[in-house]
Amino acid sequence: MLSVRAPATSANLGSGYDVFGVALSRPADVVRVSRAERTTISVSGVGSQYIPEDPDRNTVGAVAEALEAPAHIEIDKGVRPASGLGSSAASAAGAAVALNELYDRGYSKTELVPIAAEGEAIVSGVAHADNVAPSILGGFTVATSEGVTCVDARVPLVACLPEIVVSTRDARRVVPEEMSIEQSVETVGRAATLAVGMCRSDPGLVGRGMDDSVVTPARASLIEGYDRVREAALAASATGVTVSGAGPAVLAACGEGDRQRIALSMLEAFDDAGVDARVYQTRVGEGVTVY
Ligand code: HSE
């Protein structure tokens, strides 16, 4: 038996739609694998009742097939499904690293990214690497059709997850199909600022670079209380706030020592909007780790 810890992730970071992602130091899934004649899956933990155990309908089944690595795979969910925190990507990333190790397949972590992304695609229909890349590699990642680059970063974050379900399908449907050249210039500027901020582990630059006037405002409308929560986090000294992935989690960047105040302010603001929520005081963290 081999066990790995696979971190939650936050994709987009406002200005980097379908490109940027970060690994979060918490929450995480735990994936345990042992060799078997054919693949079987068991799921426990947060939201496990919504996750199919049929290998043809679960991301990790597709990963086992791609690696020709049949196994019994136990997934202990710490990352709630449909949270905007890369739940299915964490399981796919964990399974890819664990099965590669168990069967000594010899793939590098970078080579495992498209394998885990394809696993996600078979089940969810979309093969974005912006969640699996940071879950496998850790740090801040830039995923494009040419490949993935990553950098280690030390930036404190707060992720607040409301008890709302937003389907990725709906969240993608509201994204505008076009943007003006002015919006493009503004978005490139912000994305570049964010990337420099990650390279320098500078929360001020990261927060400034999270601003986005194209995708985020459209998605915020699907999250009850979003504007209130954003304002509360900024008033509590967050350096930037955005929708995490496709939502509904809301992500704030901040300086060291500010996380607790921001976490409480976000919870209170969701509460004022009549929405239950839980909060993670987290940071940009490492990728899948083998126990
Ligand atoms: N970049 C993706 C999105 C992440 O925002 O829709 C979820 O798969």
Side-chain angles (χ1 to χ4, degrees), residues 11-12 16-20 84 120 124 126 128 130-131 168 171-172 175 215 219 244-247:
N12 304 331
Y17 179 59
D18 277 355
V19 175
F20 289 167
E120 269 221 290
S124 69
V126 227
H128 296 298
D130 58 355
N131 283 116
T168 303
R172 295 188 78 80
V175 173
V215 179
R219 286 181 160 184
S244 180

Side-chain angles (χ1 to χ4, degrees), residues 220-231:
S221 63
L222 302 175
I223 304 168
E224 181 75 34
Y226 176 83
D227 290 337
R228 219 185 255 253
V229 170
R230 181 171 191 276
E231 277 161 30

Side-chain angles (χ1 to χ4, degrees), residues 181-239:
I181 190 69
E182 287 81 9
Q183 286 173 313
S184 172
V185 169
E186 186 184 72
T187 305
V188 170
R190 286 170 172 163
T193 302
L194 190 147
V196 171
M198 286 292 182
C199 292
R200 292 186 187 163
S201 290
D202 179 333
L205 287 182
V206 168
R208 206 195 316 156
M210 275 181 173
D211 264 342
D212 159 50
S213 60
V214 183
V215 179
T216 313
R219 286 181 160 184
S221 63
L222 302 175
I223 304 168
E224 181 75 34
Y226 176 83
D227 290 337
R228 219 185 255 253
V229 170
R230 181 171 191 276
E231 277 161 30
L234 291 172
S237 67
T239 57

Side-chain angles (χ1 to χ4, degrees), residues 18 44 82 86 93 108 112 125 129 140 153 160 163 165 169 171 178 212 245 247 277:
D18 277 355
S44 59
S108 68
L112 289 174
F140 166 66
C160 192
E163 290 294 326
V165 173
R169 196 179 294 266
E178 291 179 355
D212 159 50

